[in-house]
Amino acid sequence: MNPVLPTLVEVFPMFSFPNQDVLVVGGSSGIGLATAKAFAEAGAQVTIASRSRDKLAAAAVEIGHGAQWAELDTADNAAVEALLGSRAWHHVVVSAAQTPSGPVRALALDDARQAMESKFWGAYRVARAARIQDGGSLTLVSGFLSVRPSATSVLQGAINAALESLVRGPALEFSPVRVNAVSPGMIRTPLWDGMDEEKRDALFKAVAAKLPAKRVGEAEDIANAVLYAAATPFTTGSTILVDGGGAIA
């Protein structure tokens, strides 16, 4: 059974975003959806964007609070510029990515290029095009493979490290807009739904046993970290590692 986690606003009421415009790219499922829900519950006017019209419409209903949605492919720079430049957002979050995985010698170059195109260049286009109000924030979702590499997910680690490096320069360039990364560890999301349920549960149990936190993460764990990054005015150019201790285990 998945744990029921309190929202950041329930624990720390000062983290609220009344009437602030928030865009979550990749907000139709998983970490992005949990983040959009958390912002909406904290009073924000949320817009979610992704490539799937059907998922977006269903997610907007699930989020409630008048959430809006926009179909967006981050590979389409004209579309990115149109949406991200359509208003001065208070906060923008990028969690969208499709990244084929594998060892360097086994992953086809076309798949490797697609992974880089989706996760790195998609985030780069959003960062480049986003109009964000002074004091607002841009948060990219990376991943703990940047610091704990895997022989079977080499490129993912490199892309995550690139995203974490990317936030530091724009934190200077875009100031006083704040730019940060949130780096998740093993998180229970729909990305794992294609795996046999018994094998998936066994994997989560095995990973949890090795982690100091003694559980895998939930999407809400990452959403709380994103809200922290958005709400904390002294946090910029930083990577917030939320991995249950995976980087040190």
Side-chain angles (χ1 to χ4, degrees), residues 85-158:
S86 64
R87 70 187 77 170
W89 305 91
H90 290 89
H91 305 283
V92 174
V93 181
V94 185
S95 68
Q98 292 185 335
T99 54
S101 181
V104 168
R105 289 174 176 162
L107 184 64
L109 282 176
D110 284 347
D111 289 340
R113 291 189 185 96
Q114 173 57 36
M116 193 74 180
E117 169 64 39
S118 178
K119 191 163 187 178
F120 180 80
W121 286 112
Y124 189 92
R125 290 188 190 96
V126 170
R128 184 173 181 271
R131 290 177 57 215
I132 300 175
Q133 298 191 28
D134 287 354
S137 71
L138 169 66
T139 305
L140 310 181
V141 177
S142 58
F144 87 127
L145 289 175
S146 62
V147 295
R148 187 66 184 267
S150 165
T152 59
S153 299
V154 176
L155 185 59
Q156 279 73 11

Side-chain angles (χ1 to χ4, degrees), residues 169-186:
L172 300 173
E173 180 184 351
F174 299 169
S175 174
V177 171
R178 293 171 295 104
V179 186
N180 296 289
V182 171
S183 179
M186 172 73 82

Side-chain angles (χ1 to χ4, degrees), residues 24-213:
V24 182
V25 181
S28 60
S29 65
I31 289 169
L33 176 56
T35 299
K37 284 182 180 179
F39 271 117
E41 290 165 3
Q45 176 57 57
V46 173
T47 300
I48 55 174
S50 78
R51 297 194 304 174
S52 173
R53 176 182 294 267
D54 291 341
K55 286 184 179 180
L56 284 165
V61 172
E62 184 176 345
I63 294 164
H65 301 279
Q68 304 295 307
W69 59 269
E71 196 171 355
L72 179 69
D73 182 351
T74 59
D76 183 342
N77 190 61
V80 169
E81 290 183 345
L83 177 60
L84 272 294
S86 64
R87 70 187 77 170
W89 305 91
H90 290 89
H91 305 283
V92 174
V93 181
V94 185
S95 68
Q98 292 185 335
T99 54
S101 181
V104 168
R105 289 174 176 162
L107 184 64
L109 282 176
D110 284 347
D111 289 340
R113 291 189 185 96
Q114 173 57 36
M116 193 74 180
E117 169 64 39
S118 178
K119 191 163 187 178
F120 180 80
W121 286 112
Y124 189 92
R125 290 188 190 96
V126 170
R128 184 173 181 271
R131 290 177 57 215
I132 300 175
Q133 298 191 28
D134 287 354
S137 71
L138 169 66
T139 305
L140 310 181
V141 177
S142 58
F144 87 127
L145 289 175
S146 62
V147 295
R148 187 66 184 267
S150 165
T152 59
S153 299
V154 176
L155 185 59
Q156 279 73 11
I159 293 171
N160 290 338
L163 286 174
E164 291 167 15
S165 179
L166 177 63
V167 302
R168 294 193 288 271
L172 300 173
E173 180 184 351
F174 299 169
S175 174
V177 171
R178 293 171 295 104
V179 186
N180 296 289
V182 171
S183 179
M186 172 73 82
I187 308 297
R188 192 193 318 265
T189 71
L191 285 174
W192 298 97
D193 287 354
M195 190 176 184
D196 175 79
E197 182 177 359
E198 185 175 339
K199 291 181 179 178
R200 183 178 67 238
D201 290 345
L203 172 64
F204 287 159
K205 184 176 180 180
V207 170
K210 295 178 181 178
L211 292 175

